[in-house]
Amino acid sequence: GMRCIPRTAVIADDSASVRMVLKGLLEESGLRVVQTVGNGAEAINAVKAKRPAVLCLDVNMPVMAGLEALPQIREISPETAVVMVTGCADRAFVTEAASLGAKGYILKPLRPAYVLGFMKKLLG
C-alpha cells in the first residue's frame, strides 16, 4: 500500500476542546496535524485520504467508537501509529487495544508533559 507521510497526524475525538489541546501538543512535538475529525467513521476516511504517520484515536465516540474503527484503520494503513485516547485505561482495555495493533494510549484529562513525553518516545 501507499506509505505514510512522515511527521503528519490526524486527531479523532468527539470533543472540540480535546482536539484543540491535542493539536497544540502534537504540533509542539514536531507533527503537522493534517485533519481533525469527530468519530471513528470519519477517522477511517481521514486515514485513507491523508496517510498520517500518527493517528490519535478517541475510544468513546459516536457513530463508530475507536476500538471498532481500529482494525479497519490498521488494514488501510498498517504503517500509521495509532494512539488511543481514553479516560479509562483498565487492563482489559489496554490488552484489547494492544491486540488490535494500537501503539499505546494517552489518558484524559490530558497532561501536556505526559503527552509530549509519549510523542517524543513514539517518534524516536
Side-chain angles (χ1 to χ4, degrees):
M2 281 168 51
R3 293 182 68 76
C4 286
I5 299 161
R7 298 308 237 190
T8 58
V10 166
I11 295 167
D13 198 296
D14 60 334
S15 157
S17 60
V18 170
R19 289 197 300 265
M20 196 175 69
V21 172
L22 257 181
K23 183 174 194 280
L25 291 169
L26 295 191
E27 287 174 347
E28 209 177 312
S29 307
L31 290 164
R32 189 163 53 89
V33 177
V34 290
Q35 199 173 344
T36 64
V37 298
N39 67 55
E42 291 173 357
I44 290 169
N45 290 333
V47 166
K48 262 185 201 152
K50 305 288 188 190
R51 299 285 164 170
V54 177
L55 168 67
C56 289
L57 185 61
D58 184 23
V59 174
N60 296 307
M61 289 183 291
V63 184
M64 185 185 272
L67 286 177
E68 206 184 323
L70 183 53
Q72 289 181 57
I73 287 162
R74 300 282 303 133
E75 205 171 306
I76 292 160
S77 185
E79 287 184 14
T80 298
V82 182
V83 179
M84 306 308 294
V85 182
T86 181
C88 167
D90 63 30
R91 186 171 292 168
F93 160 75
V94 172
T95 306
E96 185 182 1
S99 74
L100 292 171
K103 283 275 186 280
Y105 59 90
I106 290 169
L107 277 175
K108 287 197 251 194
L110 298 170
R111 299 203 329 273
Y114 174 80
V115 176
L116 291 169
F118 181 95
M119 285 299 156
K120 203 173 175 178
K121 268 198 302 228
L122 182 70
L123 300 167

